[in-house]
Each structure stands twice: as C-alpha cells, then as structure tokens.
Amino acid sequence: VVLGTIGSEARMSFTAIGDAVNVADRLQHAAREAEVQVGSGTKALVSTSFPLDDLGEIPVRGRVAGVHHYLLRWRDLEG
C-alpha cells in the first residue's frame, strides 16, 4: 500500500493505493448488509479463532487470478 498525498499542484488528495486497497474494496462491494468478508490473508491469521465460510473466488480488476474470500459467521459468536 502507498499512503500519502497524491496528485498534482492543481489537485492533491490524501489517499491509499495498491493491491491491498483494491482487494479490500472488492470485498466490501461483495459483502451484503451486516456481512463481514475477509480475504485469504486474514483467514490465515484468524481461522482458528473465528468461524468462516468459504465463498470461493471473486475477480479483482488488475489481477490475473481472483481473490479467495470468506464470510465471517458472526452470529455463531453471539451468546
């Protein structure tokens, strides 16, 4: 991820760009209301702590291969 002020003298904005940002945006758009979706990197870190359902691959613009994503079953955590 590249984070900082990007642009020209005429128009500058503080933003983040990079593959991780694109993947996060795609996961956000794939999720429905009240859903939390994570990629395989996050799954590797939390899979033993949180129940996850495999949702398969979704395409990400600018990548040859898609991104594997998982749904957090947060309702299983309540109670």
Side-chain angles (χ1 to χ4, degrees), residues 1-7 12-21:
V1 171
V2 175
L3 182 65
T5 305
I6 299 174
M12 294 273 233
S13 68
F14 189 79
T15 192
I17 60 173
D19 186 58
V21 176

Side-chain angles (χ1 to χ4, degrees), residues 46-79:
V46 303
S47 64
T48 59
S49 303
F50 297 98
L52 300 170
D53 289 333
D54 189 336
L55 297 176
E57 272 194 11
I58 55 173
V60 175
R61 185 175 38 185
R63 283 183 146 209
V64 174
V67 172
H68 219 88
H69 65 135
Y70 303 84
L71 175 67
L72 172 66
R73 292 191 327 258
W74 59 270
R75 286 185 172 90
D76 291 351
L77 299 172
E78 295 177 344

